[in-house]
Amino acid sequence: MIALIDCNSFYASCEQVFRPDLKGKPVVVLSNNDGCVIAANSEAKALTDIPMFEPVFKIKDQLLNNGVTFFSSNYTLYGEMSDRVMRILQEFSPLVEIYSIDESFIDLSGMECQDLRAYGIAIRDRIMRYTGLPVGVGIAPTKVLAKLANRRAKKEEGNDHVFVIDSEEKRIDTLHWAKIKDVWGIGRKHTKRIQDTGKYSAFDFTQLPLSWVRKHMTVVGERTWRELQGENCLPLEHSPKPKKAIGTAKSFGKKLKKLSLIEEACSYYINEVSEVLRSQDCCAKYLKIFLETNYHSEHDRQYYNSITVTLEVPTNNTFILNTEGKKALHQIFKPGYRYKKVGVCLSGIVPKEYVQTNLFASTYEKVGLMEAFDRINQKFGKTTLAPALMDTRKINQWELIKEERSPRYTTQWKEVLCVK
DNA sequence: TCTGGGGTCCTAGGACCC
DNA sequence: TCTGGGGTCCTAGGACCC
């Protein structure tokens, strides 16, 4: 058996943990740049029908009139709260697959004879007691069924956020209960295609011939179909796989026309992604830089361009990547546009001990330089050392807007909650 | 005026190899 | 006149996830 543990309205719940005055009140969390709603707690969802990813400016009045509290996203806080939850889960199973910031699959094989519902309740209660975060627990023989069980745990009254599929009757019953779009792995496009054949429940989907599923939804759809019948096709991952691509691209706080400021942001992102790359002991062969204007805006002239640089020798050196990135950016930058976003993406990622060197390469790396660079930044703070191109004093000229960010309660001494 | 960010997997088609 | 057979690698596009 597999359990899926998922935090309820995770970002909003994290904010509420440190603001007990907001208990039982509507809370929403906004995306970067305070652009869209990305999380809303049940009170906020109940109050108004808040569509996720709706631009905030369109619904701000509606939210304010209903006394909803807003937060800008505070990923430092959410990431650290997530670590706490995942550590607790390790007390319940030797195998925990962290699937995302707010959910994990855990292996319960060998425990089938136990009272799994009681076990699920114990997980739910311990996480609440240790972190203050509410979670839902779904337990079933496969991942896709565990996802459905988790959904039912939360949505159906009387389950107290724990639901177990441990018999054929419960499996069939849950498949009838679930709509097609509730199935993990079936998104908007496939839902529509399936509904066009006159099928509406997850059960109906399992009655479609496999040949149809295979033809229209490839092998990915076939796995989902099989998992719903109780056949395991998606094994738990024992260890996190190294990333195949590492990228970052954020909208500027305001539209930028000047190349020099875009350069700053670009070097900042390169610094960030190369640090992630080094943390997994890898090097990258390709560096992609892209630049874009605001495609939502009708009156602005539009421009998008990207360039992928093939590095002579795969590297994770911030300085080499910065030099290459700057050259690439100069090639695609065209004056006269109001730019909204610059992005960088590293790919062709290989473990650093397998890097294929090049006899004629002109780059020369100082051994140990980046290790020292990272250690100093870990000890004294994120940008204690940075390439000169990245002028941290100018950051406010392009950085994202986060007007309502809560304190970083758990990671900054100066921001620790004070109890009187 | 203001519209998120970071990923994965699969397939088809083209270019190329011997 | 007749024009093979077995591959790999890369990219773009589509679908999905949180």
Side-chain angles (χ1 to χ4, degrees), chain A residues 233-250:
Chain A
C233 305
L234 304 168
L236 281 157
E237 302 289 344
H238 289 248
S239 48
K241 289 182 179 159
K243 297 234 187 299
K244 295 180 173 174
I246 301 167
T248 191
K250 296 178 191 99

Side-chain angles (χ1 to χ4, degrees), chain A residues 61 70 96 103 165 320 332 338 344 353 355 361 390 412:
Chain A
D61 290 340
F70 295 77
V96 177
E103 63 188 291
I165 297 177
I320 295 172
I332 55 175
R338 296 173 69 230
V344 307
E353 60 269 30
V355 166
M390 192 179 118
Q412 296 289 321

Side-chain angles (χ1 to χ4, degrees), chain A residues 223-373:
Chain A
R223 284 186 201 125
T224 306
W225 186 87
R226 288 181 184 277
E227 284 248 327
L228 284 174
Q229 330 256 1
E231 187 184 332
N232 240 300
C233 305
L234 304 168
L236 281 157
E237 302 289 344
H238 289 248
S239 48
K241 289 182 179 159
K243 297 234 187 299
K244 295 180 173 174
I246 301 167
T248 191
K250 296 178 191 99
S251 305
F252 306 126
K254 53 190 173 209
K255 306 291 171 280
L256 297 182
K257 285 179 141 177
K258 274 169 74 179
L259 176 59
S260 65
L261 285 177
I262 297 172
E263 250 175 17
E264 301 266 342
C266 184
S267 69
Y268 202 91
Y269 297 159
I270 289 175
N271 199 46
E272 249 175 41
V273 294
S274 54
E275 199 180 305
V276 175
L277 186 63
R278 292 194 294 274
S279 74
Q280 66 175 41
D281 284 323
C282 286
C283 290
K285 190 165 175 15
Y286 305 106
L287 168 66
K288 175 177 170 178
I289 305 283
F290 68 88
L291 188 59
E292 70 187 31
T293 51
N294 181 9
Y295 54 85
H296 291 292
S297 168
E298 283 169 12
H299 39 266
D300 275 330
R301 286 194 306 141
Q302 300 292 315
Y303 176 68
Y304 172 90
N305 207 348
S306 76
I307 192 163
T308 301
V309 182
T310 304
L311 300 153
E312 272 183 318
V313 176
T315 185
N316 59 24
N317 182 301
T318 293
F319 301 101
I320 295 172
L321 290 166
N322 252 300
T323 307
E324 296 299 329
K326 186 177 169 181
K327 268 193 262 174
L329 181 62
H330 280 247
Q331 284 179 55
I332 55 175
F333 176 83
K334 281 209 284 189
Y337 291 92
R338 296 173 69 230
Y339 291 100
K340 182 196 164 203
K341 184 189 281 183
V342 68
V344 307
C345 186
L346 297 169
S347 59
I349 291 175
V350 288
K352 77 177 174 205
E353 60 269 30
Y354 298 146
V355 166
Q356 177 69 54
T357 51
N358 178 342
L359 191 57
F360 306 105
S362 56
T363 48
Y364 167 67
E365 291 195 35
K366 286 208 166 98
V367 177
L369 175 65
M370 294 319 298
E371 286 79 0
F373 184 91

